[in-house]
Amino acid sequence: MADRTSHQGVTAPGYTAAEQNIDNTTEDISHKARGHKANLSNPNTSEESKEKSRQALKELGGEDAFYGKQGKGE
């Protein structure tokens, strides 16, 4: 049986794009953004880690990455 584990940048032969992209729903992106935002406000986090979180938030779409900011669930 094929391994269905999805890792960023890795594709699994025999699976559709939707199956491989299962963790990129609006809610999943919002959860990732919340984690990075929490990292930015953590006083125990290094500047290098905070910079990586700033970049990740930018790549996720900035403030628009948060589920509630898209007019859903309000």
Side-chain angles (χ1 to χ4, degrees):
M1 184 171 168
D3 181 14
R4 288 187 149 203
T5 304
S6 174
H7 298 283
Q8 191 174 25
V10 177
T11 58
Y15 292 96
T16 67
E19 289 171 326
Q20 293 181 43
N21 225 4
I22 198 159
D23 293 329
N24 286 328
T25 66
T26 303
E27 289 138 283
D28 291 325
I29 292 169
S30 181
H31 288 213
K32 290 175 189 177
R34 285 195 334 228
H36 287 294
K37 194 161 188 172
N39 188 49
L40 291 173
S41 63
N42 183 344
N44 298 317
T45 303
S46 70
E47 272 308 310
E48 180 182 0
S49 180
K50 288 182 180 185
E51 186 54 41
K52 288 180 182 179
S53 284
R54 283 184 198 98
Q55 184 61 35
L57 273 172
K58 185 177 177 182
E59 290 172 8
L60 288 169
E63 288 296 316
D64 291 336
F66 296 96
Y67 189 71
K69 303 284 185 180
Q70 298 168 348
K72 298 177 184 175
E74 293 180 350

